[in-house]
Amino acid sequence: MSQITVIAGGPLIADVKTVFAKGLLAFDDQGVIYAGEAAGYDPPAHARRLDVQGGLIMPGLINAHCHGAMTLFRGLADDLLLEDWLHKHIFKAEARFVGPAMVGLCTRLAAAEMLLGGTTTVCDAYFCMDQAAEAYQAAGMRAVVAQGILDFPTADCPDPARNLDLARQFIQRWQGVSPLITPALFAHSVYTCSPQTLTGVADLARELGVIWMTHLSETVAEVALTRRMHNNTPPRHLEALGLLDGLNVAVHCSALAPGEAELLAQRGVAVASCVESNMKLSSGLAHIPTLRAAGLTVALGTDGAASNNDLSMFGEMRLDALTSKIYSADPSCLPASQALDCATRQGARALGLGAVCGRLAPGLAADVVILRGDEPRLQPMYNPLSLVVYAAGAADVRHVFVAGRQVVENGRLLTMDLAQIMAGVRQLAVDVGRA
Ligand SMILES: [Zn+2]
C-alpha cells in the first residue's frame, strides 16, 4: 500500500468555488483521496500527517508559457521594445550560448525557482528539449516540454530543413516515459515559421497526438509585419492556412483585432496570456475579461525570465487582475477568484491536463502548495482567494508536493542541489556578460 499523506490545520482551496475553512487533504502517489472539511475524514492510523499551522493549502500553480533556460539571460537586456530586444540582443545571445549543457543547467534553475514559488506545472517551449525534460524530471516538476521550431538554425537544429524530423524524434523519445513529462511542439511564430513549417508542425502534432502552440499577435508591429508578409493578421493567416482549428495554445494575443477572440474561441484555441512580459516590453495588453467573455480558456504564463524577469505566478495573477481593472476602468474586472482560476484550472485545461491537475479533487494528482501561516502580510484571512492573489508572493510558499511527492519542505528544495545549480549558472553568466 502506498503512503497516505494527510495535510490539515489550515484553510483549503480545492478550487476557486470550493474553499474549506478547516480543510483537510489526503492523498498518495496515485492522487487525491479526500479534499474537504477536516471533520469529514478519518485518517488511517498509518498516514503521514502534516499540520500546516494556519497556512493555506491550495492547488499548485500552472505556468502555461515559459522558456525555462532563458533564466541565463535574466536582466541581460531590459527596457527595450520586443523587436530590438529580440533581434539585437536575445537571438544573438541564444545563437552563441544555447546548447544542451546550458539548457540542462538553466532549466534546472528555472524549475527550482518555480517549485520554490508554488508553480507545480510548466509549459516550457524552447530548444534542446531532451535536456529540459531531463531537468524537469530531476526537479520532480510536472512539465509540458515543447520542442521549438523555426526557419533559421537553432542550437539543436543547425539545418532548418530537418527541424520537423528532429521534433518527431524528440516526441517519440518522451511519449510515455514519465507521467510528469508531456512532450509537445512549439512553432515560434508566424513571422519565423513559413506556412509550410506551420503546416508541418500542425500535421505532426495531429499525427503524434500532442499539443502545439505558437506566439500569436504579441505586438502591433508583429501584426503589421504579418500583414506585409501574408496580407493577413496572425490569427487570420493561420485560419487561411486551415491551422487555427487544431492549434491548442495561442501565446500572448495582446494585439488581437476585433472579432479575433471570438474566432479563436470558435476554433477551440486556448490563450496563454503573459501580461508581465507584455508590460515590460510595452507590447500591449491581452484583456483577459474580454477573452473570457468570448468563451476562451485563458491561462497565464510568465514567458522567459529575460522579459519578466522572474517566474512567479503570484506576480502574474496579481498583475493580470490589476491591469484588467485599469484597462476597463472597472475594479470588478477579473476578481481574485478568476485570476486564480486562470492560474490553476484554466491553465491545466489549456495544456490538455484538465483531468490531471489544476484543482484538488479525488482522482486528480496531488499537486499541492502550502503557504506559510506566520507571514505578517498574510494576516488576517477573511477571504483566502483574495489573500493568494492580492497579498501572497512566491516567498510565502512553505511546502510543495507534485504527484504526491514532496519537492519543497520549509522553503527548501528537496530534489536537486540548488547551490551547485546557481554556482553553475553564475559561472556561465560571466561569459554571457563579457560577450
Ligand atoms: Zn514566449
Side-chain angles (χ1 to χ4, degrees):
M1 182 187 291
S2 62
Q3 173 76 56
I4 294 176
T5 299
V6 174
I7 299 176
L12 165 65
I13 300 173
D15 60 60
V16 296
K17 291 184 177 157
T18 318
V19 180
F20 302 98
K22 292 183 178 173
L24 184 146
L25 185 73
F27 58 84
D28 61 15
D29 58 6
Q30 299 300 303
V32 172
I33 297 165
Y34 176 86
E37 288 291 348
Y41 182 77
D42 189 14
H46 64 271
R48 176 199 173 198
R49 292 163 189 257
L50 181 63
D51 179 356
V52 299
Q53 299 165 326
L56 186 58
I57 308 161
M58 58 182 278
L61 299 171
I62 295 176
N63 184 349
H65 183 66
C66 185
H67 313 291
M70 290 186 82
T71 47
L72 181 62
F73 306 128
R74 188 194 322 261
L76 179 65
D78 295 317
D79 310 323
L80 296 163
L81 281 174
L82 173 73
E83 290 71 23
D84 291 339
W85 173 80
L86 198 57
H87 292 281
K88 294 180 183 171
H89 298 273
I90 295 302
F91 281 163
K92 284 182 182 171
E94 287 183 328
R96 179 144 180 210
F97 293 104
V98 175
M102 171 273 186
V103 169
L105 178 66
C106 299
T107 305
R108 279 172 171 76
L109 183 68
E113 179 183 351
M114 287 188 274
L115 286 174
L116 289 165
T119 298
T120 52
T121 297
V122 64
C123 178
D124 187 339
Y126 208 54
F127 308 100
C128 303
M129 297 314 276
D130 284 303
Q131 285 71 30
E134 287 164 8
Y136 290 116
Q137 244 188 337
M141 183 169 184
R142 195 178 301 283
V144 175
V145 184
Q147 174 64 47
I149 292 168
L150 34 67
D151 286 338
F152 52 84
T154 59
D156 48 4
C157 186
D159 175 10
R162 294 200 59 222
N163 55 19
L164 289 170
D165 288 342
L166 293 176
R168 173 190 293 277
Q169 291 164 19
F170 165 75
I171 301 283
Q172 290 174 335
R173 271 196 298 278
W174 285 94
Q175 274 185 321
V177 167
S178 160
L180 291 184
I181 305 297
T182 306
L185 295 170
F186 165 56
H188 177 270
S189 63
V190 300
Y191 59 92
T192 53
C193 294
S194 68
Q196 188 183 5
T197 301
L198 291 165
T199 303
V201 171
D203 288 348
L204 188 58
R206 193 180 312 111
E207 179 194 333
L208 298 179
V210 299
I211 68 167
W212 75 282
M213 63 213 67
T214 189
H215 292 136
L216 197 76
S217 293
E218 183 173 2
T219 65
V220 290
E222 175 196 328
V223 175
L225 177 63
T226 311
R227 281 189 192 281
R228 287 199 298 277
M229 291 171 73
H230 303 293
N231 202 28
N232 243 334
T233 64
R236 295 201 184 278
H237 173 54
L238 290 182
E239 174 72 352
L241 293 171
L243 303 181
L244 209 53
D245 192 356
L247 174 65
N248 300 92
V249 183
V251 180
H252 295 303
C253 295
S254 29
L256 291 180
E260 290 182 342
E262 290 76 9
L263 176 62
L264 292 172
Q266 284 163 14
R267 296 292 177 262
V269 182
V271 171
S273 172
C274 306
V275 164
E276 191 163 354
S277 171
N278 294 156
M279 290 174 74
K280 185 159 182 289
L281 294 163
S282 192
S283 295
L285 208 53
H287 189 231
I288 294 173
T290 303
L291 299 179
R292 285 172 64 98
L296 282 160
T297 294
V298 181
L300 309 183
T302 58
D303 218 339
S307 63
N308 186 300
N309 289 354
D310 63 40
L311 304 180
S312 167
M313 287 300 294
F314 285 96
E316 211 60 44
M317 282 191 288
R318 189 178 312 170
L319 272 179
D320 281 311
L322 300 186
T323 53
S324 293
K325 297 171 198 314
I326 204 79
Y327 185 103
S328 316
D330 177 0
S332 70
C333 252
L334 206 71
S337 60
Q338 290 182 12
L340 181 58
D341 192 45
C342 289
T344 50
R345 196 174 58 103
Q346 303 262 350
R349 186 184 294 170
L351 300 178
L353 298 174
V356 176
C357 57
R359 57 200 170 90
L360 297 171
L364 270 71
D367 292 1
V368 191
V369 167
I370 295 143
L371 303 185
R372 296 178 195 284
D374 56 357
E375 275 296 327
R377 67 172 154 263
L378 302 186
Q379 319 295 328
M381 193 183 299
Y382 300 111
N383 173 357
L385 305 179
S386 160
L387 207 73
V388 167
V389 173
Y390 297 128
D396 299 325
V397 172
R398 183 177 179 196
H399 303 300
V400 179
F401 294 77
V402 178
R405 175 192 182 196
Q406 188 158 14
V407 292
V408 173
E409 182 179 30
N410 288 318
R412 193 173 62 86
L413 188 67
L414 299 177
T415 48
M416 299 187 294
D417 184 341
L418 184 54
Q420 191 179 48
I421 292 166
M422 291 195 293
V425 174
R426 284 195 297 268
Q427 185 60 42
L428 265 183
V430 172
D431 293 336
V432 176
R434 277 201 203 111

